[in-house]
Amino acid sequence: MTDLRIEQVDGDALLRDWQHVHNTIIPTAVLSLDEVRERVRRNRLEVAYLGDVLVGCSTLRPPTSEASVATVIARVLPAHRRQGFGRALYVRGLAQARELGADVIETVVLESNPDGLRFAQAQGFVEVERYLLPGDSVRFIDLRLA
């Protein structure tokens, strides 16, 4: 994994790569490029490459002045799972969340992604809530680091 490169989203090429991974992993909540641009203004978005091959992305929703809760989401394309990339993205996001003052760490997984749910639980996350967004047919699972 020495060739793993993680870059903060900056510019249209990285925005499109982040969008591709997100939309592949979360097909029930496809984001337009404009929606990704809006997210990058309030969240830390990163993309991961093995050499030049896109393998995943991450989102860090930072804590706010009202709550010291951060959300760390690591997404890895199916062909690149179980190789340590999700863990690398998660550990990086967790460290960034802690540096920003987060006392509580949360994540969210699409119910149809059993790999993602197993990964989150293996990191110590416990389920808090399952819910459907308006118009969706697959539930999201909110989890909190125990």
Side-chain angles (χ1 to χ4, degrees), residues 7 16 26 35 44 55 60 82 105 121:
E7 294 189 24
R16 279 192 285 280
I26 316 289
E35 289 170 314
R44 182 180 296 215
V55 297
L60 169 61
R82 294 185 179 89
I105 306 295
Q121 291 169 332

Side-chain angles (χ1 to χ4, degrees), residues 18 27 29 44 54 63 65 70 81 85 97 100 102 105 128-129 134:
W18 187 95
R44 182 180 296 215
L54 178 64
S65 58
R81 291 182 181 162
F85 305 131
L100 295 171
I105 306 295
V128 175
E129 177 183 16

Side-chain angles (χ1 to χ4, degrees), residues 33-47:
L33 200 53
D34 285 339
E35 289 170 314
V36 177
R37 283 187 183 104
E38 188 276 324
R39 284 182 184 218
V40 80
R41 284 189 212 98
R42 57 186 163 89
N43 300 320
R44 182 180 296 215
L45 307 182
E46 295 184 329
V47 287

Side-chain angles (χ1 to χ4, degrees), residues 2-129:
T2 58
D3 291 336
L4 185 66
R5 177 172 45 92
I6 301 173
E7 294 189 24
Q8 189 164 343
V9 171
D10 181 25
D12 281 351
L14 296 176
L15 281 169
R16 279 192 285 280
D17 283 352
W18 187 95
Q19 176 193 34
H20 170 75
V21 175
H22 175 277
N23 290 348
T24 299
I25 306 295
I26 316 289
T28 62
V30 170
L31 296 175
S32 70
L33 200 53
D34 285 339
E35 289 170 314
V36 177
R37 283 187 183 104
E38 188 276 324
R39 284 182 184 218
V40 80
R41 284 189 212 98
R42 57 186 163 89
N43 300 320
R44 182 180 296 215
L45 307 182
E46 295 184 329
V47 287
Y49 302 91
L50 183 60
D52 291 330
V53 176
L54 178 64
V55 297
C57 76
S58 65
T59 300
L60 169 61
R61 297 178 192 152
T64 65
S65 58
E66 294 84 40
S68 61
V69 177
T71 302
V72 176
I73 304 167
R75 299 176 198 88
V76 176
L77 293 168
H80 302 286
R81 291 182 181 162
R82 294 185 179 89
Q83 298 176 50
F85 305 131
R87 178 122 178 95
L89 286 165
Y90 166 70
V91 167
R92 182 179 169 102
L94 180 62
Q96 292 169 348
R98 297 282 191 221
E99 286 173 13
L100 295 171
D103 294 320
V104 176
I105 306 295
E106 296 180 337
T107 195
V108 61
V109 178
L110 194 61
E111 188 177 53
S112 61
N113 181 0
D115 288 337
L117 183 57
R118 276 191 298 276
F119 176 83
Q121 291 169 332
Q123 306 314 307
F125 284 88
V126 294
E127 185 176 329
V128 175
E129 177 183 16

